[in-house]
Amino acid sequence: MNFSLLLVSFSLSRVFLAFTREFRPFTREFLAFTREFLAFTREFLAFTREFLAFTREFLAFTREFLAFTREFLAFTREFRPFTREFLAFTREFRPFTREFQFKLLSC
């Protein structure tokens, strides 16, 4: 009884080995694909890390630029009254300026 069980298990293992031999080429291809995919994933992760570092630097620059812009706008607000006065002052000279331009063009 033990011998027949051993014979059956031996034949089954041979059948199983023959069955798995047929799949070796596919297994090799799958392993090669998996290696390539892992290499691509590593490269993609490295790119992602670099991109995130660039994004952090860009955001820091943007924050600094916005702070500068706010300060500059606050600085220019102080000159609004003078600018309005200057524009009102220059409006008085428009007729003379147009007349001068006409004289220059007619020469």
Side-chain angles (χ1 to χ4, degrees):
M1 177 92 174
N2 287 339
F3 180 71
S4 62
L5 188 61
L6 184 64
L7 197 65
V8 167
S9 67
F10 181 71
S11 343
L12 283 176
S13 65
R14 290 192 67 153
V15 167
F16 181 74
L17 286 175
F19 179 72
T20 55
R21 271 188 212 114
E22 294 180 24
F23 288 100
R24 280 185 189 162
F26 304 111
T27 305
R28 287 186 186 117
E29 288 179 23
F30 180 73
L31 287 174
F33 169 77
T34 305
R35 286 185 192 106
E36 290 177 15
F37 182 74
L38 286 173
F40 168 77
T41 305
R42 286 186 191 107
E43 290 177 15
F44 182 74
L45 286 173
F47 168 77
T48 305
R49 286 185 191 108
E50 290 177 15
F51 182 74
L52 286 174
F54 168 76
T55 305
R56 286 185 192 109
E57 290 177 14
F58 182 73
L59 285 174
F61 167 77
T62 305
R63 287 186 190 109
E64 291 177 16
F65 183 74
L66 285 174
F68 168 76
T69 305
R70 286 186 192 111
E71 290 177 15
F72 182 74
L73 286 174
F75 174 73
T76 56
R77 278 188 205 110
E78 296 175 15
F79 292 98
R80 280 184 189 167
F82 306 112
T83 307
R84 288 187 186 123
E85 288 178 21
F86 181 73
L87 287 174
F89 177 72
T90 56
R91 276 188 210 112
E92 296 174 14
F93 293 99
R94 279 186 191 165
F96 305 113
T97 308
R98 287 187 188 132
E99 186 179 322
F100 182 71
Q101 286 175 347
F102 180 74
K103 285 181 181 177
L104 283 177
L105 290 174
S106 63
C107 289

